[in-house]
Amino acid sequence: MKKAVVAAVALCVAALSIAAGSALADNVRFGVNDDEGMFEKGTGPFFTNLAALGMHDNTVTVRWDETSPNGFENLGGGVTLQNFLPQVVSQASRAGVTLTFDVYPRHSQAAGNPTANAPRFAAWLKTLAQTYPSVTHYVVMNECNQPLFVNPQYDAHGNLLSAAACGQFLAAGYQALKSVDPDIFVWGLGLSPHGAKVDGKSHRDSDPFSFLSALGAWYRSSPYSGQQIMDGLDLHPYPIPQSVPFAQGNSTAYGPAYGVATLPLVYQAFYGAFSGTAQPTVGSVGHLPVSLNEVGIQTVPTAGGYTGKETANWGIDGTTGSEDFQAQWYKQLIDAAQCDADITNVNIFKLIDQSDLGAWQSGLYQLGWVAKESASTVKAEIANVRSCPTGTAGYWTPAGAPADDVTATGSVTGPFSTYFKVAVDQFLTQQQQLFASFNVSLQNLLQRLQALFGVASSQLAGMLSLQPASAQNGRRVSSARVPKAVTRKFTVRKGKRVVLPRIGKLAAGSYTLTVVLTAKRSQPVTITSPVFALDAKGKLAKAVKAAAKPAKSKGKKPAHGSNGKGHGGGGGKPEHKKR
């Protein structure tokens, strides 16, 4: 499947010679979804062992409790989850691990009442983001198609309710987080892979495909219909039961379902739900990043210290519960993710087993940090397989859609063209050190521009503004030589070559450039460059060019550093079995 060129769209307004063929695939980020490191409070080996495997992402669960005075989940004995957060944030940072907060209501019935609780959840979330500004990755909501997390799922007439409830929490949470920091990356949904009936009555699950259809219907008629509500799609492709062959993906005996091998099923459902809206879709059309945020294979323990007994039929026996079965399944998972250009993150559910056999034993370590076979297998596969082992990674393409629904080439005239050529090279190779101060991150920019093209059938209106910053050697540029501001209008037409307006010769000094794009029924997108310097000849200063010289790239996939949701082990931690 042909790789798409989303960067050609995003940067056509400020770039020189962007052409189809740039690769943004391979090199998926791997991590775990586990709360254990949080409950160690900085005293255990969790993060050391995680990093030693070549895994540098960890998601921890931070649930909103509507009954708690400060909104943080009450763990008993006067202790709330807030008591553990400072230590885990600090320790993850020291270990070089990207931390993700998975946030959702503690009680399923609170999640089922969005009118009363979504605004409260958003206010709490805003405070959380302000308290921990170094955490810039969030998963908002979790398995909303399961009554364990959103209740009720249906009304008395069989109408699906959970999708609209989940959508309101997600949209409100997205706005709250972006109001604190526009560069916070928000994963959405944490979609459960199946729709099995739990009790055959009012508390049954909703299958993922019906749920996405209902979510899209709610979104299109909601006040949020002209806005983005997630930056990436969070999926939980557990095999249910785990005895199902990897290539099969999932068993429909438990209701309509998807798995790692059948991700196109859920991609198509998401595309159908949001196609043509301001919310980017997955695949070659929208390039919304996908995270396999929870996925795990349980083993039968051989070490001591476990308690309780298995309480559900997960297809675990002497063969499917062996360490070799788990290791080979995780190996296939890593290889499959590297071949799907849509996937940017994979997080194994649990680094270390939970002690209660009724919970999860899907970790890479048994209790006491006894390494399973999968620990060495996963470490080796992550280190050795950094691209698709069977060919070229490809983006999923919906039926009837072109591989790239928007392509464009661009050129810039004027003395600052070199600056933009360097900037484009930097973006396309993911070498953003010099341009880290752009106020819109690359991925958010791509998604927002894709959304604009989705609602603008013919063109985007653009405005270019060039303003002097300060002269070289610290002196202000003379207003007689340099205008206070230069603005030019231009148009970006779908599939057409873009030529930005000529500015003319500029005096030596430092400048910033802003580009604003506008389409009907969409919020304007503003791109502001960092300060760049021109020499006496009106060319990019040598010092800037040297600093910005792009490194060679193999077209690696952009890293989003995100995970799914942890479910904590014993000792007062929130703990439950997946359904």
Side-chain angles (χ1 to χ4, degrees), residues 19 95 182 199 213 302 371 376 402 558:
D199 61 10
S213 178
T302 58
S376 59

Side-chain angles (χ1 to χ4, degrees), residues 17-302:
S17 301
I18 304 176
S22 298
L24 293 177
D26 304 340
N27 202 28
V28 179
R29 286 186 65 94
F30 293 93
V32 297
N33 194 320
D34 197 337
D35 293 340
E36 187 62 33
M38 176 167 60
F39 292 110
E40 285 182 349
K41 298 190 74 171
T43 61
F46 181 92
F47 287 104
T48 301
N49 287 338
L50 178 64
L53 296 177
M55 306 175 89
H56 301 287
D57 289 59
N58 177 220
T59 289
V60 296
T61 307
V62 185
R63 296 193 284 196
W64 172 68
D65 189 342
E66 82 284 2
T67 67
S68 172
N70 62 8
F72 286 93
E73 183 176 358
N74 191 336
L75 302 180
V79 177
T80 69
L81 200 62
Q82 188 179 24
N83 297 101
F84 297 91
L85 295 182
Q87 293 89 342
V88 72
V89 170
S90 176
Q91 190 179 19
S93 177
R94 289 196 301 270
V97 171
T98 297
L99 198 66
T100 298
F101 283 167
D102 188 5
V103 292
Y104 59 96
R106 167 68 179 85
H107 300 105
S108 62
Q109 291 188 337
N113 186 2
T115 301
N117 293 322
R120 297 176 60 198
F121 171 75
W124 170 81
L125 194 52
K126 184 174 181 178
T127 300
L128 179 66
Q130 291 170 334
T131 305
Y132 300 100
S134 64
V135 178
T136 57
H137 299 83
Y138 282 76
V139 181
V140 178
M141 301 306 288
N142 175 69
E143 298 196 354
C144 293
N145 55 321
Q146 298 293 317
L148 187 62
F149 300 102
V150 178
N151 199 4
Q153 289 283 306
Y154 295 86
D155 65 15
H157 304 287
N159 298 311
L160 185 60
L161 301 177
S162 58
C166 186
Q168 291 178 66
F169 275 93
L170 174 58
Y174 185 90
Q175 287 189 344
L177 290 170
K178 295 293 185 178
S179 71
V180 176
D181 181 356
D183 286 335
I184 287 177
F185 194 93
V186 179
W187 297 96
L189 296 180
L191 192 67
S192 174
H194 68 100
K197 292 183 178 181
V198 175
D199 61 10
K201 298 179 182 179
S202 60
H203 293 284
R204 65 187 185 274
D205 308 12
S206 56
D207 74 77
F209 314 115
S210 297
F211 178 88
L212 287 175
S213 178
L215 181 67
W218 164 81
Y219 170 81
R220 291 172 188 271
S221 62
S222 77
Y224 303 99
S225 59
Q227 306 168 36
Q228 191 166 336
I229 60 174
M230 68 185 90
D231 298 322
L233 177 62
D234 176 302
L235 302 175
H236 297 176
Y238 291 94
I240 300 174
Q242 72 177 42
S243 55
V244 66
F246 185 91
Q248 181 179 333
N250 224 320
S251 172
T252 56
Y254 292 81
Y258 70 90
V260 174
T262 55
L263 287 172
L265 295 176
V266 75
Y267 291 172
Q268 184 67 54
F270 190 86
Y271 175 79
F274 291 100
S275 177
T277 73
Q279 172 58 51
T281 60
V282 298
S284 62
V285 174
H287 296 91
L288 190 75
V290 173
S291 172
L292 307 187
N293 218 346
E294 281 190 35
V295 60
I297 294 293
Q298 297 193 76
T299 60
V300 177
T302 58

Side-chain angles (χ1 to χ4, degrees), residues 349-372:
F349 189 60
K350 297 299 176 186
L351 179 63
I352 184 170
D353 285 351
Q354 291 176 288
S355 59
D356 180 6
L357 293 176
W360 277 85
Q361 290 73 54
S362 52
L364 304 175
Y365 290 87
Q366 295 190 72
L367 296 183
W369 294 105
V370 177
K372 299 182 186 179

Side-chain angles (χ1 to χ4, degrees), residues 419-470:
Y419 166 80
F420 282 113
K421 178 62 172 70
V422 174
V424 171
D425 287 343
Q426 285 287 78
F427 275 129
L428 294 183
T429 59
Q430 305 305 304
Q431 305 295 321
Q432 300 183 54
Q433 294 89 344
L434 181 65
F435 304 102
S437 60
F438 267 75
N439 66 353
V440 180
S441 70
L442 175 62
Q443 283 303 311
N444 284 343
L445 176 60
L446 298 182
Q447 294 154 16
R448 293 175 69 185
L449 286 173
Q450 286 283 355
L452 286 175
F453 270 95
V455 299
S457 59
S458 59
Q459 65 186 40
L460 297 170
M463 176 70 74
L464 179 151
S465 175
L466 186 70
Q467 298 186 4
S470 61

